[in-house]
Each structure stands twice: as C-alpha cells, then as structure tokens.
Amino acid sequence: MFSRTPGNVVQPVLRDIVTAAFPIGLMLILAALSYWLNIVATADPVDIGGRFRHDPDTIVKHFDAISYDEAGNRKAGLRGAELRHFPDDESSVIQKPLLQRFTINMGTSTVNANQAVVNSDGSEVDLTGDVKAVRPAQRGKPALTLTAPHMHVLVDEERARTPGFARIQQGNSWISGTGFEADNVTQTFSFHSNVSGSYKR
C-alpha cells in the first residue's frame, strides 16, 4: 500500500522551505526597520544645549514698563509683580504672586488680571484670572467697569475681546453676555449672545 519516498526527494523539499522562508524573513526585517523608524521619528527631540526647553531666560520682579508713540506720548504701560520671558517662542508671562496683580494701561483705561501672556512686541496680551477693566468717569458719565474670566487685548489698537462671559457695570446700569468685543477708541462695546442687562437713569 505505502511506498517509501526516494531519498533524492528530500533535497527539493528543503530547497522549497528555504525559498519560501527567504521572502518571509526579508519582510520581517523590513517590518522591524519600519517599527524602529516610527519610534525614532515620533520620539521627542533630544535636548542638546537646552534648545528645546521652555525655560525663562529673564525674570523681572516688581516692574513698571511704559511704551510711547512716535510723538513721545505715553501709549500704554505694563505693571506687575513678576515677568518671565521665554526665548523659544519670544513670549512673556506675567504672574501674580500673593496679592499683587498684573496691570495694563490703555489711554485712560486700566486692565488688571491675575496672569498675562504677552507676545514678543507687546502688541497683544492674553489676560486670565479675574480680569477687570476700569474706565474712569468722563464727560458727566460714571466710571465703567468690565469683568471677565479671560480677555485678549490688542494694545496698539486699544481693542479687547473674549469668546466667553463678560459683564459691564456703569453706575446702576449693567449688561452681560457671551462673546464680547470692545473698542476703547470709538467707545463701542458689543455682545454676541446670551445678552441681559438693566438700564437705570
């Protein structure tokens, strides 16, 4: 019934196994190389000499900075308890230690906040934490107070905006809403949604 396989058949079988194993082994090596390249490509860069670190290169405590326009008139000012400058993105962070707050002056208006991030040329400021802007009484109108948890200020243009909640109080009148924009030059304010308020003479 059964016949023995001739001995010369063993060689072609081994040859077939080696022939089939070679491309599989090559594919395994290529898969391992692809995996290694993926690990290397997605890894965090090695910090050589601190180039990729986000550490401050300058720390200033209890500062009062003033910027002037082309005619030499005071345009805006920054005051705070501590300023940290970061060289990797040229930003400056102003923080509030203890009870001191960050202050920015725009014309006659003053804006206070717990923390501020200033861009490299000082033209834009991101304020966070108990933001409060005050415009003093003028032309027979009482002082105006704006409060918000966050505010983005364009210093040179004297404009401010926030996508979140804001409230304005002037005398006994108030208005609040979501998505606020203010222009200090034209003295105009606008809310985008959820507006409510009370006006009293």
Side-chain angles (χ1 to χ4, degrees), residues 57-137:
D57 64 345
T58 307
I59 299 175
V60 181
K61 293 184 180 286
H62 305 291
F63 68 94
D64 190 355
I66 301 171
S67 63
Y68 298 91
D69 61 17
E70 293 80 9
N73 300 315
R74 179 182 173 126
K75 181 174 64 175
L78 300 175
R79 182 184 302 121
E82 182 179 283
L83 179 142
R84 293 174 178 255
H85 179 264
F86 296 91
D88 57 339
D89 61 1
E90 290 298 320
S91 67
S92 298
V93 176
I94 303 168
Q95 295 178 327
K96 176 203 81 166
L98 302 176
L99 299 175
Q100 299 186 20
R101 289 166 56 80
F102 162 81
T103 302
I104 178 172
N105 297 309
M106 296 192 320
T108 58
S109 299
T110 302
V111 185
N112 294 295
N114 291 346
Q115 180 171 307
V117 177
V118 185
N119 69 345
S120 59
D121 62 0
S123 62
E124 296 185 31
V125 183
D126 254 327
L127 304 168
T128 53
D130 193 22
V131 180
K132 185 176 182 180
V134 178
R135 189 178 70 197

Side-chain angles (χ1 to χ4, degrees), residues 151-194:
M151 190 68 62
H152 184 79
V153 180
L154 302 172
V155 179
D156 295 337
E157 301 173 26
E158 294 192 37
R159 291 191 297 122
R161 64 176 180 265
T162 180
F165 174 82
R167 176 186 168 98
I168 296 176
Q169 180 91 33
Q170 187 173 35
N172 295 322
S173 301
W174 62 272
I175 186 171
S176 66
T178 306
F180 171 77
E181 293 186 18
D183 190 322
N184 194 46
V185 177
T186 61
Q187 305 286 301
T188 57
F189 309 100
S190 62
F191 290 93
H192 297 290
S193 61
N194 303 321

Side-chain angles (χ1 to χ4, degrees), residues 7-90:
N8 60 356
V9 176
V10 173
Q11 288 290 3
V13 170
L14 284 175
R15 188 182 64 219
D16 291 344
I17 292 173
V18 170
T19 303
F22 178 74
I24 293 172
L26 188 60
M27 287 175 56
L28 287 172
I29 291 171
L30 289 174
L33 281 172
S34 297
Y35 176 75
W36 176 77
L37 282 172
N38 182 48
I39 295 279
V40 171
T42 58
D44 292 332
V46 178
D47 188 3
I48 303 171
R51 288 185 303 161
F52 301 105
R53 294 174 58 179
H54 187 66
D55 292 335
D57 64 345
T58 307
I59 299 175
V60 181
K61 293 184 180 286
H62 305 291
F63 68 94
D64 190 355
I66 301 171
S67 63
Y68 298 91
D69 61 17
E70 293 80 9
N73 300 315
R74 179 182 173 126
K75 181 174 64 175
L78 300 175
R79 182 184 302 121
E82 182 179 283
L83 179 142
R84 293 174 178 255
H85 179 264
F86 296 91
D88 57 339
D89 61 1
E90 290 298 320

